Amino acid sequence: MKPGLSGFWTRIAFLFLIRSGRITAALSFMVVTAVAALIFLSALAVGVEDAMLRNTVGLFSGHITGYELPASVQREKLLAPGVHAVLKRTCLPGMLSMRSISHPATLCGVNAARESAVTALEKKISKGRYPAPGRHEILISRDLAEIFNVRIDDVLRFSRQTSGHTIDFSVSGIYQAGLPGLDRGLTFCPLDVIPAKDASWSAAVFLNDGVEPDAILEIYRQRFSEPVRFESWESQMPGLRQLIELEAISMVIIIFLVFGVVAIGIACSFVIFIIRNMREYGIMKAMGVTTAEMSLLIVIKVVLMNFMACAAGVLAGILAVWGVAQLGGIDLTAFTSHNPYFAVSGVIYPRLTAFSMWAPPAVALMFSLLAGIWPAALVARKRAADILRWI
Amino acid sequence: MIALSHITKTFRSGRGLVNAVVDVSLNIYAGYFAAIMGKSGSGKSTLLNCIGGLEMPGQGEISCFGTPINRLKAGKLSRFQRRHVGFVFQRGNLLSYLTIAENIGLPLTLNGIVGLERTQRIKRLLVGIDLEAAAKALPHELSGGEIQRVSMARAIAHHPKLLLVDEPTANLDTISGTQLVQLMRNLGKENGCTIIMATHDRDITNRADMLITLKDGQVISEEER
């Protein structure tokens, strides 16, 4: 085959698709809907991952946690492009007591205003409020409130584990996070009243959507010469990481399965269409069109049709994601209320990623090549005289 | 010259083995208009297909202008057909999704005839078949006679040495059929090509340079005029 003829066959295939409008539309419809549906599903899966992440790291811990930062390190040093917020916390282990009851607890000094602005813990306060700055107030979990049988404004005494130094706090609020790690014994007081102002502190770093924690960790590694330990949510919550990976793998399997079925459908439809128009292929063979050219023409027809359908499918998928975002996401609270990964909100916002945009059309095009082989082989095997005698 | 030597073609069908062509030997000279006559099932189409390389004979040799086409491999045979042979069939000759001009231009592009020469040839042929105004029409917009005229134009567009025509007037009225054959003869003469036509039509055979009559796959008469 002459090199210039591949362009000629592409043009012939294009004319075939355009002028067989209804058939092209009917065959394309299947691909358009499959691509659009899978782009939407991929975006939905990303949205579910985002929601799980937002609910877990957004409740308290952040995407990255910095441990035992020296008092000399300023909070601003952790700001970087892609970092949404850095919260400074000073946590002390100790013992909470009231009358004859004592229970181990960790007291965290926090900036209430910043915590409210960045984390979702405030939404989990069932009674009262965050401790006010400068006042000896404490926010405790419902588990601790039940242990001590305390109400708002009751006084609890905190004893430091190391020095035995004690300080009294009045209960300003009671929360229930729904996460055992938080509810077990974490309490909060204003940062400026914590009895350890020069102690090392921990940082909760919150990232913008789509920013990889590893990229920020690399910046911190370059920025801090002293031995400071940072951990991303992925190493802190391996269960969640695996769940997200599992979801991504499931999505890939679904994409392959759907397009496997769609490809078979397209191949069958094309075979029917080609059998109906077999005489035209016989005439082309009689004109001296080689088997290779004939096969190329059929494969180009199938791939070109899929290419056009994929473009329309991508557009439809993007519009569907955009439409759902405009409607305020999909509220699945009724199905997530007992799930710790959705402790704050069950609203899912589908989000398009590079993967969700290219994977469905790429797999569709790959399968379309396979879908073209069967009809091409069917025509290639038949001799012109047989076709002309047959039809 | 087209030289057939002891051609035999047998098919296996539901009725057992069918001897479509039996020991046919013929010489048709270059530039001739040869008509093959015979009843339905006498082997006319099979013989045409064998001469054009669409069908491979079970036995015998076929030489088209010195090329032993029954010995060519598939790719070389396709290239031979593309360059030197034009076919016109009884019906359904055109590609339904190409316009009349595009149908005529197809063999030209396949033979590397592009650009201005291609455009001019298409235009000349459209004028020749009196369908210049229908250049952009699709086949379903034409009558049966018009379709056959376009088929004829397409078959000779690339100036083949050999034009094989299988009962082109079978679905046409007498006037359209006569006009078509006259047109074919004129276009063929202009390009100096050999025409072999299978037909039932006495009017057509009367105009032929050579008349071959087949019966049950065998040549029963061969007459030069």
Side-chain angles (χ1 to χ4, degrees), chain A residues 65-348:
Chain A
T65 305
Y67 296 97
E68 295 176 12
L69 291 153
S72 59
V73 172
Q74 296 298 303
R75 187 184 69 88
E76 287 72 16
K77 197 175 178 182
L78 300 185
L79 293 173
V83 172
H84 169 60
V86 177
L87 297 180
K88 182 178 179 179
R89 293 160 183 164
T90 303
C91 297
L92 300 173
M95 194 69 84
L96 271 182
S97 57
M98 186 187 188
R99 292 183 291 274
S100 60
I101 306 166
S102 294
H103 194 274
T106 301
L107 181 65
C108 274
V110 296
N111 181 320
R114 284 207 182 109
E115 293 281 337
S116 298
V118 177
T119 72
L121 191 63
E122 194 177 24
K123 292 179 186 168
K124 294 294 179 180
I125 297 175
S126 52
K127 285 179 186 168
R129 53 172 172 74
Y130 253 119
R135 295 170 67 171
H136 285 81
E137 291 181 340
I138 193 169
L139 173 69
I140 61 171
S141 66
R142 199 175 76 172
D143 292 2
L144 283 175
E146 283 173 359
I147 289 168
F148 290 107
N149 193 23
V150 290
R151 294 177 184 172
I152 302 296
D153 294 335
D154 285 351
V155 174
L156 286 168
R157 174 163 292 171
F158 178 76
S159 312
R160 278 188 72 172
Q161 197 177 41
T162 48
S163 64
H165 176 77
T166 62
I167 186 164
D168 287 345
F169 291 98
S170 68
V171 175
S172 69
I174 296 167
Y175 73 89
Q176 187 183 18
L179 295 175
L182 281 176
D183 289 338
R184 202 172 294 136
L186 203 57
T187 62
F188 302 94
C189 71
L191 194 58
D192 51 4
V193 300
I194 189 104
K197 283 179 183 156
D198 295 329
S200 58
W201 58 284
S202 63
V205 181
F206 294 82
L207 308 181
N208 293 325
D209 278 348
V211 175
E212 285 298 322
D214 285 346
I216 304 299
L217 287 175
E218 184 54 37
I219 293 172
Y220 290 168
R221 264 193 287 278
Q222 290 170 6
R223 204 173 275 183
F224 291 96
S225 53
E226 58 266 50
V228 179
R229 186 162 65 94
F230 289 100
E231 271 187 11
S232 70
W233 68 267
E234 288 166 326
S235 51
Q236 286 179 312
M237 289 176 270
L240 179 60
R241 192 195 67 212
Q242 279 189 335
L243 202 61
I244 287 174
E245 285 171 356
L246 194 67
E247 200 180 46
I249 290 167
S250 305
M251 200 60 230
V252 171
I253 292 170
I254 288 171
I255 288 174
F256 270 83
L257 282 178
V258 167
F259 279 106
V261 173
V262 169
I264 291 168
I266 290 170
C268 291
S269 309
F270 247 86
V271 163
I272 293 166
F273 187 61
I274 279 168
I275 288 172
R276 228 191 73 191
N277 295 285
M278 188 63 100
R279 189 173 176 85
E280 294 190 352
Y281 294 99
I283 287 163
M284 288 175 90
K285 281 195 167 190
M287 289 170 71
V289 176
T290 63
T291 301
E293 288 169 336
M294 196 79 72
S295 304
L296 178 71
L297 175 63
I298 291 169
V299 170
I300 290 175
K301 280 178 185 175
V302 179
V303 172
L304 200 59
M305 188 203 71
N306 273 271
F307 187 79
M308 293 192 290
C310 281
V314 169
L315 191 66
I318 290 171
L319 283 174
V321 171
W322 179 80
V324 169
Q326 294 302 303
L327 293 172
I330 301 169
D331 192 350
L332 298 178
T333 309
F335 304 99
T336 59
S337 53
H338 296 292
N339 192 318
Y341 294 123
F342 292 89
V344 181
S345 165
V347 178
I348 312 294

Side-chain angles (χ1 to χ4, degrees), chain A residues 4-25:
Chain A
L5 280 182
S6 53
F8 167 70
W9 292 121
T10 305
R11 186 170 170 272
I12 294 284
F14 183 74
L15 290 174
F16 165 83
L17 293 174
I18 294 297
R19 289 175 185 161
S20 309
R22 282 185 202 164
I23 290 152
T24 305

Side-chain angles (χ1 to χ4, degrees), chain B residues 17-195:
Chain B
L17 282 179
V18 177
N19 295 314
V21 177
V22 182
D23 196 26
V24 171
S25 295
L26 283 172
N27 286 323
I28 301 168
Y29 294 100
Y32 262 37
F33 171 24
I36 305 175
M37 270 202 92
K39 290 180 182 171
S40 277
S42 60
K44 303 186 296 294
S45 297
T46 305
L47 189 61
L48 275 187
N49 288 344
C50 286
I51 295 169
L54 299 186
E55 202 97 66
M56 283 298 130
Q59 288 172 30
E61 293 284 325
I62 302 172
S63 166
C64 280
F65 311 105
T67 304
I69 61 160
N70 59 312
R71 290 191 203 164
L72 293 179
K73 288 193 173 171
K76 281 192 174 175
L77 178 61
S78 289
R79 278 185 282 280
F80 179 85
Q81 289 168 326
R82 174 183 298 197
R83 180 67 202 96
H84 299 297
V85 185
F87 277 99
V88 180
F89 301 100
Q90 191 174 327
R91 63 180 177 85
N93 280 293
L94 303 182
L95 301 186
S96 58
Y97 53 89
L98 297 184
T99 64
I100 302 315
E102 287 161 351
N103 262 290
I104 294 173
L106 193 60
L108 297 175
T109 311
L110 288 174
N111 283 290
I113 301 162
V114 291
L116 188 62
E117 191 184 348
R118 181 178 182 275
T119 313
Q120 284 176 343
R121 275 205 205 183
I122 294 170
K123 199 173 176 184
R124 249 194 333 264
L125 286 162
L126 283 169
V127 171
I129 60 173
D130 200 21
L131 281 173
E132 201 180 1
K136 289 181 180 171
L138 288 168
H140 68 85
E141 296 170 294
L142 303 186
S143 68
E146 287 172 331
I147 286 176
Q148 286 303 61
R149 271 147 60 194
V150 176
S151 306
M152 195 71 69
R154 189 184 61 188
I156 60 163
H158 56 298
H159 298 172
K161 287 182 183 173
L162 177 62
L163 183 59
L164 298 168
V165 190
D166 192 0
E167 302 192 45
T169 59
N171 297 324
L172 302 181
D173 58 70
T174 312
I175 296 169
S176 301
T178 309
Q179 284 175 345
L180 181 74
V181 173
Q182 192 55 47
L183 180 68
M184 185 182 66
R185 285 221 67 176
N186 293 343
L187 293 173
K189 269 184 186 168
E190 275 177 31
N191 301 309
C193 78
T194 307
I195 302 171

